[in-house]
Amino acid sequence: MTATTRPGFKARSDAALANPTLKTAIDRTTGTAERKRAAALARFAEYEAARSRGSAIKDHVIANLDHYLEMFERNATASGAKVHWAATESEACDIVIRLCREAGAKRVTRSKSMLGEEIGLPDALGSAGIERVETDLAEHIIQLAGEHPSHIIWPAMHRTREQVAELFNADHKPPPADDEAASMVQSARHVLREKFLSADVGISGANFLIADTGATCTVTNEGNAELTTTPPRVHIVTAGIEKLVPSTSHAMALLRLLVRSATGGELTQYTTFHCGPKRPGDADGPEKMHIVLVDNGRSEMIANEFRDMLRCIRCGACMNHCVVYRQIGGHAYGGTYPGPMGAVLTPVLDGLAQSRDLPFACTMNGRCAEVCPVEIPLPTLLRAWRGRSWRAGLEGATMRAGLGAWAGLARRPGLYRMASGIGVRALRLLGRSGWIGSLPFAGGWTRHRDLPGPTGGTFMERYKAERGKRPEDRR
């Protein structure tokens, strides 16, 4: 399905809102993530100081990116790895496919990497006739379902356990003994183990690139990244250039933030640093290691108002706390990255004309900025896209006329107060038991939810009433 025939954001959102199973799946995962993060931070007294340090580390690297890129290439090359540069997603895929063909690869294993999804690597491998095996359990699930990730930490969060059992029963030979989690995990291990050991190439992402050693760092909870990168003859890393940090100590400072914000833990089960291919005397490891550094719009972001987005460490906290994401899930956003961070990044990657609805899919409540471990001002960046959309004339005639009418009222306080008073009284007439189930010309608001009715007069009416009270009578 092409971008021109694919349903738009509003159609995808309507479909998501009409799917009660999806809502159940989202609530289970994001609710658990929110509670675990809160508990982890309650035990982390230095969180605010660590957060400020994390933000400063990322800002320093972004300001000196050329220096650290050269340092990383020099040290990675010295360790025996080969560094490749890709300006675009197509260049990145071409490099990976060429390396796989040079290795004579018929089967590749891949650990979870959102950068790989961003550049379209799964489809590129399929088009090249190379068998791709997703080794992360959640990625294995969505590969069987023929889907893309709906969350950057839990790619299959939109799937219930019952739905996963159906997929495994249809694909795994033999099928799981039952639909209990332990049985299904064991079934996946049985299916994947042979593919781990027979792969010609292993492809991973990188949570961090260490400039002063040339190492790459992966963070997982399953150990699949280690089985992806160690048995095959060739290890290929794909990573965005913003993943750089000056040193291992800086990576560890950011890991303290990443893991707590992503899963509510203090450290993941597997935090691995890869520094070049196998050396003489090493018991295992790949014979060759390639690192593909991808720009894909990042250099342009350094020079514009979206520079702060390059701090992102891909923890997923913003979407776990987003009231919009928690209603519609990730697939409704239509891009690689969902939620608030996706609403900022997708217009960079796909163009504003193709994704202008995303910056408007936000209530501007600010929770995403509050929970971001590196202090990205996401609402400010979303407002910047809204401004660009307006200046580019991408708003429809109805939207422009409506905003023009509102601006005309806002410039005339007396008229605005009169219109507000009429509106409040009309809404009170439409409400039943304190809620409004339908509203003329606002079906988009009331189709899937009731609105709370007004409990009193307008703000100015209530403000004047409060001012007239004695201090001891005010609430």
Side-chain angles (χ1 to χ4, degrees):
M1 186 176 292
T2 66
T4 55
T5 60
R6 186 175 59 192
F9 173 75
K10 293 179 182 178
R12 296 192 300 267
S13 298
D14 282 344
L17 290 167
N19 184 347
T21 302
L22 175 64
K23 185 66 167 63
T24 299
I26 295 171
D27 284 344
R28 284 178 182 173
T29 307
T30 58
T32 300
E34 185 176 11
R35 290 189 294 274
K36 285 186 174 181
R37 176 189 175 276
L41 295 190
R43 299 189 299 269
F44 187 24
E46 305 89 355
Y47 172 66
E48 287 301 332
R51 191 181 184 213
S52 296
R53 186 186 181 202
S55 176
I57 292 170
K58 295 296 292 185
D59 282 347
H60 170 75
V61 172
I62 294 165
N64 300 277
L65 191 59
D66 54 347
H67 168 74
Y68 287 112
L69 283 170
E70 291 175 359
M71 181 188 294
F72 177 80
E73 181 184 32
R74 183 169 60 251
N75 292 321
T77 302
S79 74
K82 177 69 182 295
V83 177
H84 308 262
W85 301 86
T88 64
E89 57 186 43
S90 59
E91 284 185 21
C93 285
D94 289 345
I95 291 168
V96 174
I97 298 303
R98 173 174 59 80
L99 294 173
C100 288
R101 285 175 171 159
E102 289 175 357
K106 293 181 171 56
R107 170 182 289 171
V108 304
T109 48
R110 199 174 83 98
S111 67
K112 183 165 74 67
S113 165
M114 292 309 298
L115 190 279
E117 297 290 336
E118 176 188 320
I119 64 176
L121 186 55
D123 292 336
L125 290 167
S127 298
I130 300 171
E131 180 189 359
R132 168 180 60 94
V133 179
E134 297 291 345
T135 63
D136 176 87
L137 179 59
E139 292 278 0
H140 174 62
I141 292 168
I142 63 173
Q143 183 176 21
L144 294 181
E147 297 173 335
H148 293 289
S150 62
H151 193 284
I152 64 172
I153 302 298
W154 299 284
M157 68 169 295
H158 58 286
R159 290 266 169 182
T160 64
R161 186 188 69 192
E162 295 78 13
Q163 291 173 326
V164 173
E166 290 181 12
L167 291 170
F168 282 13
N169 284 327
D171 181 83
H172 290 182
K173 303 293 185 272
D178 52 53
D179 64 355
E180 294 301 314
S183 177
M184 290 193 288
V185 169
Q186 186 61 35
S187 177
R189 285 175 177 162
H190 176 79
V191 168
L192 292 173
R193 184 55 59 99
E194 181 272 331
K195 296 182 179 182
F196 277 126
L197 299 177
S198 62
D200 304 297
V201 171
I203 303 175
S204 75
N207 292 91
F208 302 105
L209 304 169
I210 317 301
D212 70 349
T213 64
T216 67
C217 174
T218 59
V219 178
T220 68
N221 279 309
E222 299 173 18
N224 62 294
E226 288 66 32
L227 284 170
T228 296
T229 60
T230 303
R233 293 178 289 109
V234 179
H235 175 200
I236 301 174
V237 179
T238 60
I241 57 175
E242 84 284 4
K243 292 298 183 73
L244 278 163
V245 292
S247 68
T248 303
S249 64
H250 292 98
M252 296 306 295
L254 289 167
L255 279 168
R256 298 176 79 195
L257 295 167
L258 170 62
V259 180
R260 286 175 170 86
S261 295
T263 63
E266 295 185 5
L267 198 65
T268 58
Q269 301 292 335
Y270 300 89
T271 300
T272 305
F273 293 84
H274 304 270
C275 194
K278 180 169 66 174
R279 298 169 177 81
D282 287 348
D284 53 30
E287 297 171 9
K288 295 181 179 180
M289 181 177 182
H290 297 272
I291 303 169
V292 183
L293 298 177
V294 183
D295 188 321
N296 201 31
R298 288 158 174 80
S299 293
E300 183 179 345
M301 291 172 68
I302 293 174
N304 63 30
E305 65 266 48
F306 304 107
R307 178 190 184 103
D308 288 342
M309 195 64 225
L310 293 172
R311 292 182 199 155
C312 182
I313 57 176
R314 306 297 195 266
C315 69
C318 62
M319 55 194 72
N320 295 338
H321 294 76
C322 174
V323 295
V324 176
Y325 179 92
R326 290 177 69 157
Q327 296 298 318
I328 63 176
H331 288 152
Y333 287 83
T336 300
Y337 303 104
M341 53 93 74
V344 174
L345 282 174
T346 301
V348 173
L349 300 172
D350 297 347
L352 181 58
Q354 298 294 326
S355 51
R356 64 156 296 278
D357 283 330
L358 300 185
F360 291 88
C362 176
T363 67
M364 292 291 169
N365 63 74
R367 282 301 303 281
C368 53
E370 289 177 8
V371 301
C372 177
V374 286
E375 302 178 320
I376 300 173
L378 287 159
T380 300
L381 303 184
L382 291 170
R383 281 194 294 271
W385 276 126
R386 292 182 181 187
R388 282 198 178 197
S389 179
W390 182 267
R391 292 191 296 273
L394 298 179
E395 315 307 328
T398 301
M399 171 69 79
R400 298 184 79 87
L403 287 175
W406 181 88
L409 281 173
R411 286 193 294 264
R412 298 168 177 80
L415 190 60
Y416 187 88
R417 285 194 292 270
M418 182 179 70
S420 298
I422 294 171
V424 166
R425 286 157 181 79
L427 288 173
R428 194 177 296 124
L429 291 174
L430 291 169
R432 292 184 179 180
S433 302
W435 293 91
I436 300 171
S438 62
L439 199 61
F441 310 109
W445 282 96
T446 58
R447 186 179 302 117
H448 299 286
R449 60 199 178 282
D450 292 343
L451 296 179
T455 57
T458 66
F459 172 81
M460 291 304 299
E461 289 171 345
R462 299 184 69 175
Y463 175 70
K464 288 180 179 179
E466 288 292 318
R467 287 189 65 187
K469 292 180 180 179
R470 293 178 302 176
E472 60 269 22
D473 293 334
R474 295 175 185 170
R475 290 185 179 181

Coordinates of all heavy atoms in Angstrom, one line a residue, residues 252-323:
M252 N 27.1 5.0 30.7 CA 26.5 4.5 31.9 C 25.6 5.5 32.6 O 24.6 5.2 33.2 CB 27.6 4.1 32.9 CG 28.5 2.9 32.4 SD 27.6 1.5 31.9 CE 26.9 1.0 33.4
A253 N 26.0 6.8 32.5 CA 25.1 7.9 33.1 C 23.8 7.9 32.4 O 22.7 8.0 33.0 CB 25.8 9.2 33.0
L254 N 23.8 7.7 31.0 CA 22.5 7.7 30.3 C 21.8 6.4 30.5 O 20.5 6.4 30.4 CB 22.8 7.9 28.8 CG 23.2 9.4 28.5 CD1 23.8 9.5 27.1 CD2 22.0 10.3 28.6
L255 N 22.5 5.3 30.7 CA 21.8 4.0 30.9 C 21.0 4.1 32.2 O 19.9 3.4 32.3 CB 22.8 2.9 31.1 CG 23.3 2.3 29.7 CD1 24.6 1.4 30.0 CD2 22.2 1.5 29.0
R256 N 21.4 4.8 33.2 CA 20.7 4.9 34.5 C 19.3 5.6 34.2 O 18.3 5.3 34.9 CB 21.5 5.8 35.5 CG 22.8 5.2 35.9 CD 23.5 6.2 36.8 NE 23.0 6.1 38.2 CZ 23.3 7.0 39.1 NH1 23.9 8.1 38.8 NH2 22.8 6.9 40.3
L257 N 19.3 6.5 33.2 CA 18.0 7.1 32.9 C 17.2 6.3 31.9 O 16.0 6.1 32.1 CB 18.3 8.5 32.2 CG 19.0 9.5 33.1 CD1 19.5 10.6 32.2 CD2 18.0 10.1 34.1
L258 N 17.8 5.7 30.9 CA 17.1 4.9 29.9 C 16.3 3.7 30.5 O 15.1 3.6 30.3 CB 18.1 4.4 28.9 CG 17.6 3.3 27.9 CD1 16.5 3.9 27.0 CD2 18.8 2.8 27.0
V259 N 17.0 2.9 31.3 CA 16.4 1.7 31.8 C 15.2 2.0 32.8 O 14.1 1.4 32.7 CB 17.4 0.8 32.5 CG1 16.7 -0.5 33.0 CG2 18.5 0.5 31.5
R260 N 15.4 3.0 33.7 CA 14.4 3.3 34.6 C 13.1 3.9 33.9 O 12.0 3.6 34.2 CB 14.9 4.3 35.6 CG 15.8 3.7 36.7 CD 16.4 4.8 37.6 NE 17.1 4.2 38.7 CZ 18.3 3.9 38.7 NH1 19.0 4.0 37.6 NH2 18.9 3.4 39.8
S261 N 13.4 4.7 32.8 CA 12.3 5.3 32.1 C 11.6 4.3 31.2 O 10.4 4.5 30.9 CB 12.8 6.5 31.3 OG 13.3 7.5 32.1
A262 N 12.3 3.4 30.7 CA 11.8 2.4 29.7 C 11.0 1.3 30.4 O 9.9 1.0 30.1 CB 12.9 1.9 28.8
T263 N 11.6 0.6 31.4 CA 11.0 -0.6 32.0 C 10.9 -0.5 33.5 O 10.4 -1.5 34.1 CB 11.9 -1.8 31.6 OG1 13.2 -1.7 32.2 CG2 12.1 -2.0 30.1
G264 N 11.4 0.6 34.1 CA 11.3 0.7 35.5 C 12.3 -0.1 36.3 O 12.2 -0.3 37.5
G265 N 13.3 -0.6 35.6 CA 14.4 -1.4 36.2 C 15.6 -0.5 36.5 O 15.6 0.7 36.1
E266 N 16.6 -1.0 37.2 CA 17.8 -0.2 37.4 C 18.9 -0.5 36.4 O 19.7 0.3 36.0 CB 18.4 -0.6 38.8 CG 17.4 -0.1 39.9 CD 18.0 -0.3 41.3 OE1 19.2 -0.7 41.4 OE2 17.3 -0.1 42.3
L267 N 18.8 -1.7 35.8 CA 19.7 -2.1 34.7 C 19.1 -3.3 34.0 O 18.4 -4.1 34.6 CB 21.1 -2.6 35.3 CG 22.3 -2.6 34.3 CD1 22.6 -1.2 33.9 CD2 23.5 -3.2 35.0
T268 N 19.3 -3.4 32.7 CA 18.7 -4.5 32.0 C 19.4 -5.8 32.2 O 20.6 -5.8 32.8 CB 18.7 -4.2 30.4 OG1 20.1 -4.0 30.0 CG2 17.9 -3.0 30.1
Q269 N 18.8 -6.9 31.8 CA 19.5 -8.2 32.0 C 20.8 -8.2 31.2 O 21.7 -8.9 31.6 CB 18.5 -9.3 31.5 CG 17.2 -9.3 32.2 CD 17.3 -9.7 33.7 OE1 18.3 -10.4 34.1 NE2 16.4 -9.3 34.5
Y270 N 20.8 -7.6 30.0 CA 22.0 -7.7 29.1 C 22.3 -6.3 28.6 O 21.6 -5.7 27.9 CB 21.7 -8.6 27.9 CG 21.3 -10.0 28.3 CD1 20.0 -10.4 28.5 CD2 22.3 -11.0 28.4 CE1 19.7 -11.7 28.9 CE2 22.0 -12.3 28.8 CZ 20.6 -12.7 29.0 OH 20.3 -13.9 29.3
T271 N 23.5 -5.8 29.1 CA 24.1 -4.6 28.6 C 25.4 -5.0 28.0 O 26.4 -5.3 28.8 CB 24.2 -3.5 29.7 OG1 22.9 -3.3 30.2 CG2 24.8 -2.3 29.1
T272 N 25.6 -4.9 26.7 CA 26.8 -5.5 26.0 C 27.5 -4.4 25.2 O 26.8 -3.7 24.5 CB 26.4 -6.7 25.1 OG1 25.7 -7.6 25.9 CG2 27.6 -7.3 24.5
F273 N 28.8 -4.4 25.3 CA 29.6 -3.5 24.5 C 30.4 -4.4 23.5 O 31.1 -5.3 23.8 CB 30.6 -2.8 25.4 CG 29.9 -1.8 26.3 CD1 29.4 -2.2 27.5 CD2 29.8 -0.4 26.0 CE1 28.8 -1.3 28.4 CE2 29.2 0.5 26.8 CZ 28.7 0.0 28.0
H274 N 30.2 -4.0 22.2 CA 30.9 -4.7 21.1 C 32.0 -3.8 20.6 O 31.7 -2.7 20.2 CB 29.9 -5.0 20.0 CG 28.7 -5.8 20.4 ND1 28.7 -7.2 20.4 CD2 27.5 -5.4 20.8 CE1 27.5 -7.6 20.8 NE2 26.8 -6.6 21.1
C275 N 33.2 -4.3 20.6 CA 34.4 -3.5 20.2 C 35.2 -4.3 19.2 O 36.1 -5.0 19.5 CB 35.2 -3.1 21.4 SG 36.4 -1.8 21.0
G276 N 34.8 -4.2 17.9 CA 35.5 -4.9 16.9 C 35.1 -6.4 16.8 O 34.4 -6.9 17.6
P277 N 35.6 -7.0 15.7 CA 35.4 -8.5 15.5 C 36.3 -9.3 16.5 O 37.0 -8.8 17.3 CB 35.8 -8.7 14.1 CG 36.9 -7.7 13.8 CD 36.5 -6.5 14.6
K278 N 36.1 -10.6 16.3 CA 36.9 -11.6 17.1 C 38.4 -11.4 16.9 O 38.9 -11.3 15.8 CB 36.4 -13.0 16.8 CG 37.1 -14.1 17.6 CD 36.5 -15.4 17.4 CE 36.6 -15.9 16.0 NZ 36.1 -17.3 15.8
R279 N 39.1 -11.4 18.0 CA 40.6 -11.3 18.0 C 41.2 -12.7 18.2 O 40.6 -13.6 18.7 CB 41.1 -10.4 19.1 CG 40.5 -8.9 18.9 CD 40.8 -8.1 20.2 NE 40.4 -6.7 20.0 CZ 39.2 -6.3 20.2 NH1 38.2 -7.1 20.5 NH2 38.9 -5.0 20.0
P280 N 42.5 -12.9 17.8 CA 43.1 -14.1 18.1 C 43.1 -14.5 19.6 O 43.3 -13.7 20.4 CB 44.6 -13.9 17.7 CG 44.5 -12.8 16.6 CD 43.3 -11.9 17.1
G281 N 42.6 -15.7 19.8 CA 42.5 -16.2 21.2 C 41.1 -16.0 21.8 O 40.8 -16.6 22.8
D282 N 40.2 -15.2 21.1 CA 38.8 -15.1 21.6 C 38.1 -16.4 21.4 O 38.2 -17.1 20.3 CB 38.1 -13.9 20.9 CG 38.6 -12.6 21.3 OD1 39.3 -12.5 22.3 OD2 38.2 -11.6 20.6
A283 N 37.2 -16.7 22.3 CA 36.5 -18.0 22.2 C 35.4 -17.9 21.2 O 35.1 -18.9 20.6 CB 35.9 -18.3 23.6
D284 N 34.8 -16.7 21.0 CA 33.7 -16.6 20.0 C 33.7 -15.2 19.5 O 34.5 -14.3 19.9 CB 32.4 -17.1 20.6 CG 32.1 -16.4 21.9 OD1 32.5 -15.2 22.1 OD2 31.4 -16.9 22.8
G285 N 32.7 -15.0 18.6 CA 32.5 -13.6 18.1 C 32.6 -13.7 16.6 O 33.0 -14.6 16.0
P286 N 32.1 -12.6 15.9 CA 32.1 -12.6 14.5 C 33.5 -12.4 13.9 O 34.4 -11.8 14.5 CB 31.2 -11.3 14.2 CG 31.5 -10.4 15.3 CD 31.6 -11.3 16.5
E287 N 33.7 -12.8 12.7 CA 35.0 -12.6 12.0 C 35.1 -11.2 11.4 O 36.2 -10.7 11.3 CB 35.1 -13.6 10.8 CG 35.1 -15.1 11.3 CD 35.0 -16.1 10.1 OE1 35.1 -15.6 9.0 OE2 34.9 -17.3 10.4
K288 N 34.0 -10.6 11.1 CA 34.0 -9.2 10.6 C 32.9 -8.4 11.3 O 31.8 -9.0 11.6 CB 33.7 -9.2 9.1 CG 34.8 -9.9 8.2 CD 34.5 -9.8 6.8 CE 35.6 -10.4 5.9 NZ 35.2 -10.4 4.5
M289 N 33.1 -7.1 11.5 CA 32.2 -6.2 12.1 C 32.1 -5.0 11.2 O 33.1 -4.3 10.9 CB 32.5 -5.9 13.5 CG 31.5 -5.0 14.2 SD 32.0 -4.7 16.0 CE 30.6 -3.6 16.5
H290 N 30.9 -4.6 10.8 CA 30.6 -3.4 10.1 C 29.7 -2.5 10.8 O 28.7 -3.0 11.4 CB 30.0 -3.8 8.7 CG 30.9 -4.6 7.8 ND1 31.8 -4.1 7.0 CD2 30.9 -6.0 7.7 CE1 32.4 -5.1 6.3 NE2 31.9 -6.2 6.7
I291 N 29.9 -1.2 10.8 CA 29.1 -0.2 11.5 C 28.6 0.8 10.5 O 29.4 1.4 9.8 CB 29.8 0.5 12.6 CG1 30.4 -0.5 13.6 CG2 28.9 1.5 13.3 CD1 31.4 0.1 14.6
V292 N 27.3 0.8 10.3 CA 26.7 1.7 9.3 C 26.1 2.9 10.0 O 25.1 2.8 10.8 CB 25.6 1.0 8.5 CG1 25.0 2.0 7.4 CG2 26.1 -0.2 7.8
L293 N 26.7 4.1 9.9 CA 26.2 5.3 10.6 C 25.3 6.1 9.6 O 25.6 6.4 8.5 CB 27.4 6.2 10.9 CG 28.4 5.6 11.9 CD1 29.6 6.5 12.1 CD2 27.8 5.2 13.2
V294 N 24.1 6.3 10.1 CA 23.0 6.8 9.3 C 22.6 8.3 9.7 O 22.4 8.6 10.9 CB 21.7 6.0 9.4 CG1 20.6 6.5 8.5 CG2 22.1 4.5 9.1
D295 N 22.6 9.2 8.7 CA 22.2 10.6 9.0 C 20.6 10.7 8.8 O 19.9 10.9 9.8 CB 22.9 11.5 8.0 CG 22.6 13.0 8.3 OD1 21.5 13.3 8.7 OD2 23.5 13.8 8.1
N296 N 20.1 10.5 7.7 CA 18.7 10.5 7.4 C 17.9 11.7 8.0 O 17.0 11.5 8.7 CB 18.1 9.2 7.8 CG 16.7 8.9 7.1 OD1 16.6 9.3 5.9 ND2 15.8 8.2 7.7
G297 N 18.4 12.9 7.8 CA 17.8 14.1 8.3 C 18.3 14.6 9.6 O 17.9 15.7 10.0
R298 N 19.2 13.9 10.2 CA 19.6 14.4 11.6 C 20.5 15.6 11.5 O 20.4 16.5 12.3 CB 20.4 13.2 12.2 CG 19.4 12.1 12.7 CD 20.2 10.8 12.9 NE 19.3 9.8 13.5 CZ 18.4 9.1 12.8 NH1 18.2 9.3 11.5 NH2 17.6 8.1 13.4
S299 N 21.4 15.7 10.5 CA 22.2 16.9 10.3 C 21.4 18.1 10.1 O 21.7 19.2 10.6 CB 23.2 16.7 9.1 OG 24.1 15.7 9.4
E300 N 20.3 18.0 9.4 CA 19.4 19.1 9.1 C 18.7 19.6 10.4 O 18.6 20.8 10.7 CB 18.3 18.7 8.1 CG 17.4 19.9 7.8 CD 16.3 19.4 6.7 OE1 16.5 18.4 6.1 OE2 15.4 20.2 6.6
M301 N 18.4 18.6 11.3 CA 17.8 19.0 12.6 C 18.7 19.8 13.5 O 18.3 20.6 14.3 CB 17.3 17.7 13.3 CG 16.2 17.0 12.7 SD 15.8 15.3 13.4 CE 15.2 15.9 15.0
I302 N 20.0 19.5 13.4 CA 21.0 20.3 14.2 C 20.8 21.8 14.0 O 21.0 22.6 14.9 CB 22.4 19.8 13.9 CG1 22.6 18.4 14.4 CG2 23.4 20.7 14.6 CD1 24.0 17.8 14.0
A303 N 20.5 22.1 12.7 CA 20.5 23.5 12.4 C 19.1 24.2 12.5 O 19.0 25.4 12.1 CB 21.0 23.7 10.9
N304 N 18.1 23.5 12.9 CA 16.8 24.1 13.0 C 16.2 23.9 14.4 O 16.8 23.5 15.3 CB 15.8 23.5 11.9 CG 15.6 22.0 12.1 OD1 15.6 21.5 13.2 ND2 15.3 21.3 11.0
E305 N 14.9 24.3 14.5 CA 14.3 24.3 15.8 C 14.0 23.0 16.5 O 13.5 22.9 17.6 CB 13.0 25.2 15.8 CG 11.9 24.5 14.9 CD 11.9 25.0 13.5 OE1 13.0 25.0 12.9 OE2 10.8 25.4 12.9
F306 N 14.3 21.9 15.7 CA 14.0 20.6 16.3 C 15.3 19.9 16.8 O 15.3 18.7 17.0 CB 13.4 19.7 15.2 CG 12.1 20.3 14.6 CD1 12.1 20.9 13.4 CD2 11.0 20.4 15.4 CE1 11.0 21.5 12.9 CE2 9.8 21.0 14.9 CZ 9.8 21.6 13.6
R307 N 16.3 20.7 17.0 CA 17.6 20.2 17.5 C 17.5 19.4 18.8 O 18.1 18.4 19.0 CB 18.5 21.4 17.7 CG 19.9 21.1 18.2 CD 20.6 22.4 18.6 NE 21.9 22.2 19.0 CZ 23.0 22.5 18.3 NH1 22.9 22.9 17.1 NH2 24.2 22.3 18.8
D308 N 16.6 19.8 19.7 CA 16.5 19.2 21.0 C 16.0 17.7 20.9 O 16.3 16.9 21.8 CB 15.5 19.9 21.9 CG 16.1 21.3 22.4 OD1 17.3 21.4 22.3 OD2 15.3 22.1 22.8
M309 N 15.3 17.4 19.8 CA 14.8 16.0 19.6 C 16.0 15.1 19.4 O 15.8 13.8 19.7 CB 13.9 16.0 18.3 CG 13.1 14.7 18.2 SD 11.9 14.6 19.6 CE 12.1 12.9 20.1
L310 N 17.2 15.5 19.1 CA 18.3 14.6 18.9 C 18.8 14.1 20.3 O 19.7 13.2 20.3 CB 19.4 15.4 18.1 CG 19.1 15.7 16.7 CD1 20.2 16.5 16.1 CD2 19.0 14.4 15.9
R311 N 18.3 14.7 21.4 CA 18.7 14.1 22.7 C 18.1 12.8 22.9 O 18.5 12.0 23.8 CB 18.2 15.1 23.8 CG 18.8 16.4 23.9 CD 18.2 17.1 25.1 NE 18.4 18.6 25.0 CZ 17.6 19.5 25.6 NH1 16.6 19.1 26.3 NH2 17.9 20.8 25.5
C312 N 17.0 12.5 22.2 CA 16.1 11.3 22.5 C 17.0 10.0 22.7 O 17.8 9.7 21.8 CB 15.1 11.2 21.5 SG 13.9 9.8 21.8
I313 N 16.7 9.3 23.8 CA 17.4 8.0 24.0 C 16.5 6.8 23.8 O 16.8 5.7 24.1 CB 18.1 8.0 25.4 CG1 17.0 8.2 26.5 CG2 19.2 9.0 25.5 CD1 17.6 8.1 27.9
R314 N 15.3 7.1 23.2 CA 14.4 6.0 22.8 C 13.9 5.2 24.0 O 14.0 3.9 23.9 CB 15.0 5.1 21.7 CG 15.5 5.9 20.5 CD 14.4 6.6 19.7 NE 14.8 6.9 18.4 CZ 15.3 8.1 18.0 NH1 15.4 9.1 19.0 NH2 15.6 8.4 16.8
C315 N 13.5 5.8 25.0 CA 13.0 5.1 26.2 C 11.5 4.7 26.1 O 11.0 3.8 26.8 CB 13.3 5.8 27.5 SG 12.3 7.4 27.7
G316 N 10.7 5.5 25.4 CA 9.3 5.3 25.3 C 8.4 5.8 26.4 O 7.2 5.7 26.3
A317 N 9.0 6.6 27.3 CA 8.2 7.1 28.4 C 7.2 8.1 28.0 O 6.1 8.2 28.5 CB 9.2 7.8 29.5
C318 N 7.5 8.9 26.9 CA 6.6 9.9 26.5 C 5.3 9.2 26.0 O 4.2 9.8 26.2 CB 7.2 10.8 25.4 SG 7.7 9.9 23.9
M319 N 5.4 8.1 25.3 CA 4.2 7.5 24.8 C 3.4 6.7 25.9 O 2.2 6.7 25.9 CB 4.5 6.6 23.6 CG 5.5 5.5 23.8 SD 6.1 4.8 22.2 CE 7.0 6.1 21.5
N320 N 4.1 6.2 26.9 CA 3.5 5.5 28.0 C 2.6 6.4 28.8 O 1.7 6.0 29.4 CB 4.5 4.8 28.9 CG 5.3 3.7 28.2 OD1 4.8 3.2 27.2 ND2 6.5 3.5 28.7
H321 N 2.9 7.7 28.8 CA 2.2 8.7 29.6 C 1.3 9.6 28.7 O 0.7 10.5 29.2 CB 3.2 9.6 30.4 CG 3.9 8.8 31.4 ND1 4.9 8.0 31.2 CD2 3.7 8.8 32.8 CE1 5.4 7.4 32.3 NE2 4.7 7.9 33.3
C322 N 1.3 9.4 27.4 CA 0.5 10.2 26.5 C -1.0 9.8 26.5 O -1.3 8.7 26.2 CB 1.1 10.1 25.1 SG 0.2 11.0 23.8
V323 N -1.9 10.7 26.7 CA -3.3 10.4 26.8 C -3.8 10.1 25.4 O -4.8 9.3 25.3 CB -4.1 11.6 27.4 CG1 -3.8 11.8 28.8 CG2 -3.9 12.9 26.6

